Amino acid sequence: MAEDMLMLNISSDPVTFHRKTDRSHLTSAEKWAQKKLESKRKAVFEPQESSASKQRKINQTGQQHTHKQKLQTPKSPSRRSNNRDTEENGDQSEITAAKSPSKVKTFPKKAPEEHGRPFIKTSSLFRNNPEIPDVLSPAVNLVKEKVFTSNTFEELNLHPHLVATLHKVLNVTSMTSVQKQTIPVLMSGKDAVVRSQTGSGKTLAYGIPMVQFLQAMQPKVKRSDGPLAVVIVPTRELALQSFQMFQKLLKPFTWIVPGVLMGGEKRKAEKARLRKGINVLISTPGRLVDHIKNTLSIAFSAVRWLILDEADRTLDLGFEKDLTLILNALNAPGLARQNVLLSATLTEGLSRLASISMKEPVSIHVSEGSGETVEACPQAAPQALSDSYVVPERLQQHVVVVPSKLHLVCLAAFILTKCKFEQRQKLIVFISSCEAVEFLLTLFTAVLCENPNTTSTKRTSYLNFYRLHGSMRQEERTEMFQEFSQCKTGILLCTDVAARGLDLPQVTWIIQYNPPSSAAEYVHRVGRTARIGAQGSSLLFLTPSETAFVDVLANHNISLSEMKMVDILATLIKDERFKGRGKWDSKRSAAAFEQEVRERATVLQTDFENYVHANNESLQTAKSALQSFLRAYTTYPSSLKHVFHIRNLHLGHAAKSFGLRDAPQGLGSSITTNPNNSKDSKKGKDKAKRPPKKLTSKERVSNLMRSEYLSGIDGESKSMKKRKKKKGQAEEEESA
Ligand SMILES: Nc1ncnc2c1ncn2[C@@H]1O[C@H](COP(=O)(O)OP(=O)(O)OP(=O)(O)O)[C@@H](O)[C@H]1O
């Protein structure tokens, strides 16, 4: 009930959340028990508002012993008899063992009870969820790109040392389609706009002709010439990766010096390197602007090449100002320069924008040339090529619809499926904010990595978590990136900082736990697997209210197959750590199986909640992670607001996905329109007659931002606005 109130408070608009309780999955005993509980809930909570909030306090402190025990008295003969079943309390039911709360120990300390869980207090995970609609991915015209050609680098008239380096150092022999089409164009001195699927070798497609050009320059290139080529990339890790590739390519041509500038590194050291001379300069936009403004020794008079890798990202709003400044600095000397834009998701609009600073660029779309177009469904409307994206042929794309409350357990179950019960899996999980990455890392490490067979701090060996996001120190970022690159199995929890360009070997699964901000970002995220002709899989999590995103993707020729949430959760049957109270026997009926899965999911959620509520620090971390998730949710572009709108979120349910037992107070109270809250009784009376004030979406968002987590930020709406804007545009990409 408290959750219901909160949800209604954030929006007086019609809410799309389905309130109907789906009972189809329940056994008759459960239906009976649930009916009983509902009538009891009505009797206990609905007559008085105050009793609901009183109960919420009880749940939070766990101290009002008498009242709580009254609520816990088992009534039904079903699951409650085993003390693990839920006691429905709106959405905040509890399961407790017969122990006095004073003896309650919090996770991770274990009492000698069955499964080491003396105290379980959790929500009813499987009740009051919105119905899960079937997802029908519309028919699309599948466009495929052939990755490899039979052509070799020898055909290109390159310097023999360059060809040898390709063979021996980079281990490449035949050209990919994009290389075959791009290298001759760039070697002829023309500008180009290049689009080809992720992991198809675009870096070498510009790297090879550039090195061929530089090594042939007469008089011979000197360090003191300064930058002859400038490569702009949106993230630090990508800058580092491109720099390493140039180090390899330039091995035989030692007189040409590559260098990297990126946020997080020491400016002083970079200035010194610039003074000494860097010929191939790779940089993030923000840091380059920084040096243009502050480093006298940076000069662009000799620049002959400008590369914008991930050009759509670099050209979009977040970097517009930086890029204008860079182009002005580069254009000033007025030397003839070759310009190249590359991305897997370049659209006509962007190429037109880019053409302003380019000279009759050649447009290279691999799917038009050497690729083959496969009509998967002739009835489907033909797509304009600029709108349709190509994903790797051997990428298997899935979507799973999961109600918010079950998100956390479902992600955990999926990770266990892959990393505990399958061999050699390397996963990347995309999450919408840095705080949420940190939170999930701590939570999973504590709850999933705990080894039940040891009392020591030894962790399970099959789960190795890594993290990558924009709020990490640069040394940590680089270390994590390299460690994850080299590991054979592991789970990288990250934000979109890892979505573009990164070439992480042998990644088997991409999980989009929070949906991407656009179809293009979807393509880049899934593109971290199935690279250069390899196999890979992806899984997109959506809530029932977000399923229209499948149509958005279909508009770009992306088709997904549905995975069922129950099938993911079923893995928990294999994990004895989350055993239900009843004796589980695999020969029992399908209904009993389903029941056991639900119990185990509840046990897992309980572990998460116990960890989160064990102390104030973890509670605050969970709350700020929830807050950051909500904030990120408000930054979806207006074109996707019909799919991802904050008013469609159920706060109480979203809170569960952060291990919180209830929607935190403050989120609701500051935005409430409940007339009973009025201090002025007369006014309150008048107000009571009126329907709740309809808030504009702006008001709702600003209310949301004024929650308890932001105490101290209250009244700083300007800086808040700034932060939000920044977050939406380029939160994870580099600004310096
Ligand atoms: N001709 C080739 N033969 C074999 N491997 C290649 C070839 N060209 C590039 N590769 C390898 O393919 C991988 C992907 O290349 P690259 O990172 O350049 O792809 P991309 O098209 O830029 O991807 P994204 O769009 O994700 O940035 C790299 O490991 C690279 O070394």
Side-chain angles (χ1 to χ4, degrees):
M1 182 158 164
E3 287 179 8
D4 294 354
M5 262 182 61
L6 284 162
M7 189 192 72
L8 293 170
N9 284 342
I10 66 160
S11 166
S12 48
D13 290 348
V15 176
T16 57
F17 175 70
H18 300 269
R19 313 230 114 255
K20 210 180 102 195
T21 306
D22 178 15
R23 290 204 178 89
S24 56
H25 52 270
L26 299 179
T27 62
S28 51
E30 282 180 317
K31 280 179 190 162
W32 176 84
Q34 193 178 340
K35 247 184 165 174
K36 267 263 193 209
L37 286 165
E38 272 168 13
S39 62
K40 182 177 162 190
R41 176 172 70 89
K42 273 198 181 109
V44 174
F45 296 106
E46 289 191 356
Q48 287 178 13
E49 191 68 51
S50 57
S51 101
S53 62
K54 201 172 167 190
Q55 178 58 26
R56 193 163 50 206
K57 273 187 205 144
I58 294 163
N59 286 343
Q60 280 162 357
T61 60
Q63 278 166 5
Q64 295 196 22
H65 187 182
T66 330
H67 185 70
K68 195 164 91 186
Q69 274 192 336
K70 191 174 153 202
L71 290 166
Q72 288 160 1
T73 311
K75 285 260 161 58
S76 143
S78 64
R79 286 171 51 208
R80 274 180 295 160
S81 59
N82 63 26
N83 264 346
R84 181 146 342 254
D85 198 2
T86 55
E87 180 91 17
E88 182 90 354
N89 164 17
D91 240 355
Q92 313 163 55
S93 46
E94 299 175 359
I95 317 170
T96 59
K99 264 206 149 194
S100 117
S102 60
K103 286 183 189 163
V104 163
K105 287 181 189 168
T106 49
F107 188 90
K109 277 187 189 165
K110 285 189 171 181
E113 311 284 309
E114 195 184 352
H115 314 311
R117 287 185 187 82
F119 173 63
I120 299 171
K121 177 179 178 185
T122 190
S123 54
S124 168
L125 271 184
F126 292 89
R127 301 208 173 115
N128 294 341
N129 284 316
E131 279 168 27
I132 298 179
D134 283 331
V135 177
L136 292 174
S137 202
V140 298
N141 285 333
L142 283 183
V143 182
K144 291 183 186 173
E145 279 179 20
K146 215 168 109 190
V147 177
F148 283 106
T149 68
S150 54
N151 301 80
T152 63
F153 291 103
E154 278 80 356
E155 299 168 27
L156 292 171
N157 223 356
L158 299 171
H159 190 290
H161 288 176
L162 182 51
V163 177
T165 305
L166 289 171
H167 287 233
K168 291 183 191 146
V169 182
L170 288 153
N171 224 1
V172 298
T173 44
S174 56
M175 282 187 270
T176 63
S177 300
V178 69
Q179 290 161 358
K180 185 186 164 187
Q181 290 187 47
T182 310
I183 296 172
V185 170
L186 295 184
M187 281 175 74
S188 72
K190 290 184 181 139
D191 287 0
V193 175
V194 183
R195 187 176 89 176
S196 78
Q197 62 180 312
T198 52
S200 58
K202 290 187 286 295
T203 319
L204 283 180
Y206 71 80
I208 292 169
M210 185 201 287
V211 170
Q212 170 67 17
F213 176 90
L214 295 177
Q215 63 78 31
M217 270 179 85
Q218 289 299 337
K220 216 169 161 180
V221 171
K222 296 185 299 297
R223 262 193 105 153
S224 56
D225 291 340
L228 298 162
V230 175
V231 180
I232 310 280
V233 296
T235 66
R236 297 172 191 180
E237 283 71 25
L238 187 51
L240 207 60
Q241 185 181 288
S242 308
F243 168 65
Q244 285 164 350
M245 200 276 296
F246 274 105
Q247 276 185 315
K248 290 177 186 167
L249 269 185
L250 287 167
K251 249 188 174 148
F253 314 111
T254 48
W255 61 93
I256 306 169
V257 179
V260 62
L261 308 176
M262 56 187 202
E265 289 297 323
K266 290 193 179 98
R267 279 185 186 80
K268 217 171 156 190
E270 286 182 350
K271 279 185 181 204
R273 279 191 284 124
L274 279 167
R275 218 174 298 124
K276 273 188 174 175
I278 294 174
N279 304 124
V280 178
L281 182 62
I282 299 127
S283 182
T284 53
R287 183 49 74 101
L288 188 56
V289 166
D290 192 333
H291 282 291
I292 289 172
K293 286 180 179 166
N294 303 309
T295 306
L296 290 174
S297 56
I298 198 163
F300 296 111
S301 50
V303 173
R304 307 298 299 275
W305 289 76
L306 172 65
I307 313 287
L308 297 186
D309 200 0
E310 308 298 340
D312 52 335
R313 184 72 191 96
T314 320
L315 283 168
D316 80 9
L317 273 180
F319 292 125
E320 199 179 34
K321 246 171 100 186
D322 286 347
L323 208 67
T324 310
L325 217 142
I326 293 168
L327 287 175
N328 285 341
L330 286 171
N331 289 340
L335 251 188
R337 188 184 66 221
Q338 255 184 287
N339 303 289
V340 189
L341 309 189
L342 307 102
S343 176
T345 50
L346 277 177
T347 58
E348 292 300 329
L350 274 167
S351 354
R352 264 200 302 278
L353 180 68
S355 65
I356 296 167
S357 61
M358 298 177 95
K359 207 172 58 237
E360 295 167 11
V362 177
S363 196
I364 298 168
H365 286 174
V366 170
S367 51
E368 276 181 337
S370 62
E372 46 178 318
T373 303
V374 178
E375 299 281 322
C377 173
Q379 306 96 294
Q383 295 279 323
L385 189 78
S386 58
D387 285 339
S388 61
Y389 298 137
V390 180
V391 292
E393 196 177 345
R394 297 181 71 199
L395 171 70
Q396 294 184 344
Q397 302 169 85
H398 306 271
V399 58
V400 60
V401 183
V402 184
S404 293
K405 264 205 279 187
L406 284 146
H407 259 222
L408 190 57
V409 282
C410 198
L411 175 63
F414 190 82
I415 289 173
L416 288 171
T417 310
K418 294 293 145 199
C419 299
K420 185 170 181 182
F421 303 110
E422 290 177 22
Q423 301 280 309
R424 292 177 85 85
Q425 296 283 345
K426 201 163 160 182
L427 277 53
I428 300 183
V429 183
F430 284 100
I431 296 156
S432 59
S433 73
C434 308
E435 289 93 334
V437 169
E438 287 292 333
F439 165 73
L440 286 174
L441 179 90
T442 315
L443 186 71
F444 286 166
T445 308
V447 177
L448 299 182
C449 297
E450 186 208 18
N451 192 336
N453 301 321
T454 65
T455 48
S456 72
T457 51
K458 207 171 158 217
R459 302 281 182 193
T460 47
S461 57
Y462 48 81
L463 292 176
N464 299 310
F465 285 99
Y466 301 82
R467 74 204 218 283
L468 195 66
H469 60 73
S471 302
M472 287 164 69
R473 280 186 301 114
Q474 189 51 43
E475 305 90 82
E476 268 185 294
R477 252 173 95 158
T478 308
E479 202 180 310
M480 276 285 164
F481 169 60
Q482 267 152 8
E483 271 183 33
F484 186 71
S485 279
Q486 286 154 17
C487 75
K488 296 267 177 281
T489 62
I491 307 116
L492 176 68
L493 305 177
C494 61
T495 57
D496 274 333
V497 77
R500 293 256 182 175
L502 296 191
D503 189 48
L504 298 157
Q506 289 153 8
V507 173
T508 50
W509 276 89
I510 302 298
I511 300 145
Q512 307 201 39
Y513 183 59
N514 298 131
S517 57
S518 65
E521 288 315 303
Y522 171 93
V523 169
H524 289 282
R525 283 173 167 195
V526 295
R528 297 317 100 210
T529 187
R531 296 175 73 74
I532 204 86
Q535 212 167 11
S537 306
S538 65
L539 176 62
L540 170 68
F541 274 62
L542 294 176
T543 63
S545 68
E546 294 168 346
T547 51
F549 191 57
V550 171
D551 301 324
V552 173
L553 292 176
N555 288 338
H556 296 276
N557 273 0
I558 296 164
S559 172
L560 315 175
S561 62
E562 193 184 1
M563 204 181 257
K564 291 288 180 192
M565 178 185 76
V566 286
D567 295 334
I568 294 175
L569 292 178
T571 291
L572 297 173
I573 284 289
K574 296 189 215 161
D575 203 322
E576 288 305 293
R577 284 182 300 170
F578 311 116
K579 212 153 78 175
R581 283 278 166 154
K583 257 208 164 146
W584 168 239
D585 170 8
S586 56
K587 290 188 194 99
R588 283 167 67 187
S589 66
F593 177 88
E594 209 175 296
Q595 178 58 27
E596 179 66 18
V597 169
R598 283 162 185 246
E599 283 196 22
R600 289 187 185 210
T602 305
V603 169
L604 179 54
Q605 175 73 18
T606 304
D607 278 357
F608 287 138
E609 291 182 11
N610 283 349
Y611 178 82
V612 164
H613 290 262
N615 59 56
N616 197 39
E617 196 189 336
S618 55
L619 192 60
Q620 288 313 318
T621 309
K623 285 178 178 183
S624 61
L626 169 65
Q627 181 69 27
S628 68
F629 160 76
L630 295 173
R631 209 183 280 139
Y633 209 87
T634 62
T635 62
Y636 278 100
S638 52
S639 58
L640 285 180
K641 287 280 189 221
H642 67 290
V643 183
F644 306 111
H645 200 291
I646 191 86
R647 73 166 174 241
N648 295 342
L649 279 186
H650 187 300
L651 290 183
H653 290 194
K656 290 278 172 265
S657 69
F658 287 86
L660 293 161
R661 292 187 185 123
D662 199 1
Q665 289 175 334
L667 261 187
S669 64
S670 65
I671 53 181
T672 186
T673 52
N674 185 345
N676 295 334
N677 288 350
S678 173
K679 279 187 186 142
D680 181 338
S681 60
K682 192 167 175 281
K683 239 179 165 181
K685 230 179 179 180
D686 288 348
K687 270 190 180 175
K689 288 180 199 156
R690 279 187 249 140
K693 185 189 161 210
K694 187 166 178 167
L695 298 175
T696 65
S697 61
K698 248 189 183 166
E699 282 170 329
R700 278 196 301 275
V701 169
S702 82
N703 279 337
L704 201 58
M705 294 303 151
R706 275 202 306 269
S707 76
E708 63 176 3
Y709 317 121
L710 298 179
S711 53
I713 296 181
D714 225 347
E716 292 175 20
S717 53
K718 236 182 179 176
S719 66
M720 198 56 240
K721 237 184 188 172
K722 253 190 193 167
R723 271 177 60 182
K724 210 187 107 195
K725 197 173 164 199
K726 215 170 148 196
K727 226 181 165 78
Q729 291 172 347
E731 179 195 24
E732 292 311 313
E733 271 72 13
E734 308 315 311
S735 60

